[in-house]
Amino acid sequence: MAKLYVIGIGPGEEALFTKKMVDAIQESEVIVGYGPYLDYLGSLIEGKTLYSTGMKSEIDRCKEALRQVEEGKTTSIISTGDAGLYGMAGPIFELKADQEVEVIPGVSANFAAAAELGAPIMHDYACISLSDLLTPWETILKRARKAAEGDFVITIYNPRSKGRPDHLEKIVNILLEVKDPKTPVGIVKNAGRLGTEKTVTQLDSIDYEQVDMLTCLIIGNSNTYVKDGFMVTPRGYENK
């Protein structure tokens, strides 16, 4: 019976491919994804039927993947990071009928960035995307404030684009109403990719010009500190 694999891949780096991902892609007759994401698969796409679209055509890709399965072809649909976080798992399950679907977990950008920064998460945390294409800006502002009030470590996705040059600064100003200005912040560009760049700074000292859509920010909680250039958020083991 044909099956649909929903996969999140680490872009460009085979170290971020799990064996289960590779096995699913090799089993698939059809690979569906945003064009550049298919390029990340390298030789794994040889001999496969490919279906790609540009940005903002996620639903079209999901429908095509489900159609291919309905026609009896085992198919993989590709996201980056983890398919269950800002990826294709959600729309696939919203649209599917009786097709068999398996989600294969991947390494999300926040954990790829965290690995570069040391141990900045380690405890309860919140992920917030600053893209307001699908989420109202007022909702994003509310979530940021609540995350700060709850003293969560906060990962910021999609922080700054040409169309949204001031969103990150507005969010940081809200966080500064609650959090210590000296709270450590890790800024990682191209997490899990070639050309990774990282900076550890403070909440009141972010250089907004170095941030773009390929950047993740990890903002510490009240216990996060910097040691030897790495961020550390204690879990509390030493207090047991």
Side-chain angles (χ1 to χ4, degrees):
M1 180 177 178
K3 187 174 187 178
L4 176 59
Y5 292 107
V6 188
I7 301 174
I9 59 169
E13 303 295 328
E14 289 193 3
L16 297 184
F17 283 61
T18 66
K19 183 178 185 302
K20 192 169 185 179
M21 290 178 193
V22 173
D23 288 347
I25 292 167
Q26 290 177 334
E27 181 187 340
S28 298
E29 301 170 69
V30 180
I31 311 292
V32 177
Y34 173 51
Y37 297 169
L38 297 182
D39 294 338
Y40 299 149
L41 297 177
S43 62
L44 289 174
I45 63 175
E46 292 179 4
K48 310 293 184 183
T49 300
L50 304 180
Y51 177 87
S52 65
T53 66
M55 292 293 285
K56 300 182 182 181
S57 299
E58 292 84 358
I59 296 302
D60 289 341
R61 293 199 294 273
C62 289
K63 288 180 177 178
E64 178 64 20
L66 290 165
R67 187 182 70 80
Q68 293 287 346
V69 174
E70 194 67 24
E71 292 185 357
K73 298 174 183 176
T74 292
T75 300
S76 288
I77 184 168
I78 306 300
S79 306
T80 56
D82 184 278
L85 178 63
Y86 308 131
M88 294 293 96
I92 284 292
F93 277 95
E94 291 180 60
L95 292 167
K96 75 179 288 292
D98 59 354
Q99 297 96 334
E100 184 179 356
V101 173
E102 180 179 350
V103 179
I104 297 180
V107 179
S108 58
N110 59 336
F111 289 118
E116 297 286 347
L117 294 168
I121 297 179
M122 276 302 296
H123 212 305
D124 301 333
Y125 75 101
C127 283
I128 301 174
S129 170
L130 301 195
S131 173
D132 54 6
L133 291 174
L134 302 175
T135 304
W137 178 237
E138 291 303 317
T139 299
I140 296 171
L141 294 174
K142 179 180 178 181
R143 290 174 177 173
R145 182 179 297 278
K146 294 298 183 182
E149 291 174 350
D151 197 26
F152 287 95
V153 174
I154 302 171
T155 298
I156 301 293
Y157 276 73
N158 303 315
R160 190 168 182 268
S161 68
K162 291 180 180 179
R164 298 180 283 101
D166 302 322
H167 276 26
L168 177 60
E169 188 171 3
K170 290 176 181 176
I171 289 292
V172 169
N173 287 335
I174 285 176
L175 300 182
L176 284 168
E177 295 175 13
V178 180
K179 300 176 78 68
D180 186 328
K182 303 306 179 186
T183 299
V185 176
I187 301 172
V188 182
K189 184 180 294 187
N190 295 320
R193 306 179 186 187
L194 296 175
T196 301
E197 301 174 16
K198 66 175 181 178
T199 302
V200 176
T201 185
Q202 297 175 340
L203 190 59
D204 64 353
S205 302
I206 294 171
D207 178 2
Y208 297 105
E209 292 302 317
Q210 78 174 100
V211 176
D212 60 17
M213 288 290 282
L214 297 177
T215 305
C216 270
L217 290 88
I218 299 182
I219 300 165
N221 67 17
S222 60
N223 294 314
T224 304
Y225 63 94
V226 178
K227 179 179 180 180
D228 299 328
F230 292 97
M231 290 174 64
V232 180
T233 298
R235 178 70 173 90
Y237 297 112
E238 69 280 4
N239 298 322
K240 292 188 67 177

